[in-house]
Amino acid sequence: MGHKDLRDWLKTVENRGQLKQVSGAGWELEMGGIVEVAYREGKEPKPCFLFDDIPGYPKGYRTLFGMLGATERIAMTLGLPEDRIDRLGIADNWYKKARDLRPIPPKWVDSGPVQENTLIGDQIDVLKFPVPRFHELDRNRYFGTAHSVIQRDPDDGWVNLGTYRVMVVDRNRLALHATPGKHGNILTYEKYFARGKVMPIAIATGLDPVLWWLSCQTDTPWGASEYDAAGGIKGGPIEVIKGPHTGLPIPAHAEIVIEGECHPGEFVDEGPFGEWHGYYANRGLATVPEPVIRVKAIYHRNNPILTCSQPGVPPHTFTLMLAVADSVAIRRRLEAFGIPGIQSVWAHYTGSGGLFNVISIKQMYSGHAKQVGLIASQYSAEMGSYTVVVEEDIDPSNLDQVLWAMVTRSRLDRAIQILPDCHTNNVHPAIPPAEKRSTQKGKPLTAARVVIDACRDLSWKDDWYPISRISPELRKEIMEKWKTVLSGLL
Ligand SMILES: Cc1cc2nc3c(=O)[nH]c(=O)nc-3n(C[C@H](O)[C@H](O)[C@H](O)COP(=O)(O)O)c2cc1C
């Protein structure tokens, strides 16, 4: 289906007028700064930024930001119908596609374009590529911000792909930051380090955006591979090469792949790094020990493209894509529980945490809204969150409508549940550093989650106050008759 690799995909983006090519911006704060201003302050649709002629690097050694930063590009990438490219329309179409997806395992091939250049031994230098430093308070440059980290479960053999940031330590060492609860963290600590085993690892960047999309979201469960899901989306297998050093399947069409290994007990100071929610919250400006990746080989295409994400105060390059992905993942989980009446879901502007999720339902029985809220509240693998349940006349992606329901439809003493001591981790900006340090002494962090039932009470349904809003029929009539007055205003 569609594109065969990132370069092919970029041609389509360019033909659609959504590629902004920039010449001469530097890796030190400049590329990231341009992207941040455009994404926080700029007009829709937000473009994809391709940087070339980066000072200190050969022409053709490029970076790419904002791959999936616009609904049109999400639809085009995932092969969704492009009739509805509003936010809920994309979420609806992705929901249908994800629900009906049949996984297709990757196909082993002997060679691929990623092998055009191989660097081993003394040739290894991760700074051969124009790796950005993103924000003023970041200490280091980050090679991995729009990539996949590839690891294998040594017991069951399945292969995980996840986007966990990767910091440059020096020319042949990187640091891996996968937070507790993430598959990459569980594999590292439980499956390798706890048994004293060396972990083979690969980092692939400049991927087919379908693979990247899947690496960033939580819908692929433990034990299932994002490779298979990507094959399902594309309608054909992803081609992989057996990594010579790790035996891991590496994407044959990636721009750059690094193979390496992590040794138990080998840690290095990681961060500080400005994160997706807009704070340096891991430990403020202090560093935190994270596993070292010893680089064993680098493979890259000629004129490679390093893909990047600029995190920071939302909105930024990946808030939209994760809002779509989280919205659908929450809806699918509720339905997996057998809950009826789910109309739509929107996970607001919160990066990858799903921190303010709104679910609209058609209420069918007493306690329905609370049941939905309690189940959905456990979705986030990151930190505390709000879950708001509204009725079917409310568009969950429209905060004005959601607030209207919250402030008018329920009695607050009955509407708000605070669930203490739920899962969280050290990414939470409201937990002070001292409390986070205590996790190292074996005391896990927890945080509250809040569920707000913003639905009218079913027990007096027959007496609900009428709503003063023009009916859909009257609206249609007015739109037809007063077209000339309203066109241009709407
Ligand atoms: C640009 C970007 C950067 C991310 N960085 C990290 C990170 O550094 N550490 C982390 O644990 N999760 C990070 N995430 C979130 C994970 O990629 C996401 O939770 C994913 O579902 C993890 O895969 P898993 O479910 O297989 O563990 C990032 C997501 C995006 C989109």
Side-chain angles (χ1 to χ4, degrees):
M1 176 208 83
H3 53 276
K4 82 172 186 304
D5 59 12
L6 180 67
R7 294 183 188 205
D8 201 22
W9 179 90
L10 270 176
K11 276 188 216 139
T12 313
V13 173
E14 188 175 8
N15 290 340
R16 290 172 175 228
Q18 292 201 0
L19 185 65
K20 181 88 190 149
Q21 310 206 40
V22 183
S23 174
W27 57 263
E28 172 78 306
L29 304 175
E30 227 171 14
M31 297 188 289
I34 292 169
V35 172
E36 183 160 328
V37 172
Y39 268 73
R40 187 152 338 109
E41 301 169 30
K43 293 196 288 279
E44 303 287 347
K46 303 285 165 44
C48 216
F49 281 89
L50 185 65
F51 292 97
D52 199 353
D53 304 303
I54 298 164
Y57 286 90
K59 185 172 180 56
Y61 276 55
R62 292 160 291 169
T63 62
L64 179 72
F65 286 69
M67 276 181 284
L68 298 177
T71 50
E72 292 91 328
R73 295 202 294 283
I74 297 176
M76 181 266 272
T77 304
L78 300 176
L80 305 178
E82 296 191 41
D83 52 336
R84 290 176 62 200
I85 53 163
D86 60 297
R87 296 184 303 179
L88 272 193
I90 294 288
D92 251 6
N93 285 333
W94 169 235
Y95 163 75
K96 287 181 196 132
K97 181 140 187 170
R99 185 192 56 194
D100 301 334
L101 210 66
R102 297 277 165 273
I104 300 177
K107 178 173 149 199
W108 292 101
V109 294
D110 294 334
S111 61
V114 72
Q115 292 165 313
E116 280 167 355
N117 302 274
T118 298
L119 311 175
I120 48 170
D122 288 347
Q123 299 162 317
I124 291 174
D125 183 3
V126 295
L127 292 177
K128 182 175 181 195
F129 312 100
V131 175
R133 191 162 80 92
F134 291 88
H135 281 114
E136 281 123 308
L137 299 178
D138 293 1
R139 185 173 59 111
N140 286 32
R141 297 164 75 173
Y142 275 76
F143 178 88
T145 56
H147 62 298
S148 291
V149 172
I150 304 170
Q151 296 155 284
R152 190 194 297 279
D153 181 332
D155 297 323
D156 302 323
W158 62 280
V159 171
N160 185 63
L161 274 72
T163 301
Y164 317 116
R165 75 182 184 235
V166 172
M167 184 189 85
V168 174
V169 179
D170 52 35
R171 65 204 305 275
N172 58 8
R173 287 186 309 157
L174 301 162
L176 173 69
H177 171 87
T179 56
K182 301 297 172 64
H183 296 164
N185 176 291
I186 300 170
L187 289 168
T188 305
Y189 288 93
E190 304 299 326
K191 298 273 180 156
Y192 288 93
F193 288 4
R195 302 169 182 180
K197 288 174 76 164
V198 173
M199 178 173 72
I201 189 165
I203 296 118
T205 189
L207 294 163
D208 182 325
V210 169
L211 267 183
W212 186 56
W213 162 264
L214 289 164
S215 298
C216 296
Q217 56 167 294
T218 53
D219 212 18
T220 315
W222 175 259
S225 181
E226 284 78 5
Y227 271 134
D228 302 12
I233 292 176
K234 292 183 71 82
I238 301 290
E239 293 188 350
V240 292
I241 300 167
K242 195 175 171 87
H245 286 265
T246 57
L248 288 166
I250 61 178
H253 296 270
E255 293 284 328
I256 308 170
V257 174
I258 291 178
E259 279 194 292
E261 53 192 37
C262 297
H263 290 244
E266 192 169 279
F267 295 92
V268 65
D269 287 342
E270 198 269 347
F273 180 71
E275 302 186 278
W276 52 273
H277 48 37
Y279 297 89
Y280 287 83
N282 196 21
R283 218 53 71 71
L285 296 183
T287 56
V288 176
E290 294 282 12
V292 175
I293 300 168
R294 296 190 198 174
V295 177
K296 294 293 169 192
I298 302 178
Y299 313 96
H300 72 89
R301 294 181 70 156
N302 296 332
N303 294 324
I305 304 171
L306 176 78
T307 43
C308 307
S309 302
Q310 171 81 0
V313 175
H316 52 66
T317 50
F318 53 99
T319 39
L320 173 71
M321 67 177 261
L322 287 171
V324 175
D326 283 347
S327 303
V328 171
I330 292 169
R331 179 167 179 184
R332 281 163 49 73
R333 275 180 207 191
L334 284 165
E335 290 178 353
F337 267 85
I339 310 291
I342 309 299
Q343 305 295 299
S344 51
V345 179
W346 190 253
H348 284 268
Y349 257 36
T350 46
S352 62
L355 304 185
F356 191 88
N357 304 318
V358 185
I359 299 142
S360 83
I361 64 166
K362 184 165 173 46
Q363 291 193 89
M364 292 175 173
Y365 45 84
S366 64
H368 189 178
K370 189 168 287 179
Q371 180 191 36
V372 166
L374 288 173
I375 293 171
S377 72
Q378 297 308 306
Y379 160 74
S380 164
E382 293 278 11
M383 45 191 271
S385 60
Y386 293 86
T387 304
V388 182
V389 187
V390 296
E391 290 165 82
E392 72 271 27
D393 64 323
I394 304 293
D395 170 352
S397 72
N398 181 324
L399 278 181
D400 284 338
Q401 292 185 26
V402 172
L403 281 178
W404 175 62
M406 283 169 66
V407 298
T408 56
R409 293 196 175 179
S410 50
R411 293 158 83 169
L412 298 188
D413 54 333
R414 299 178 193 173
I416 302 176
Q417 307 282 312
I418 299 178
L419 313 171
D421 296 328
C422 296
H423 172 70
T424 190
N425 62 48
N426 46 15
V427 85
H428 200 316
I431 300 178
E435 212 175 312
K436 289 182 181 172
R437 280 193 289 273
S438 72
T439 56
Q440 285 163 356
K441 295 174 197 132
K443 201 174 118 197
L445 283 178
T446 59
R449 296 184 182 202
V450 173
V451 174
I452 300 175
D453 172 357
C455 300
R456 286 167 293 182
D457 185 343
L458 269 188
S459 68
W460 52 280
K461 187 172 194 294
D462 294 341
D463 293 327
W464 279 353
Y465 301 107
I467 292 176
S468 65
R469 163 172 63 197
I470 58 171
S471 65
E473 298 74 35
L474 176 58
R475 182 180 186 281
K476 192 161 175 269
E477 247 174 65
I478 288 188
M479 291 295 287
E480 271 159 26
K481 183 163 175 196
W482 295 99
K483 244 198 326 269
T484 47
V485 172
L486 289 168
S487 70
L489 293 177
L490 300 184

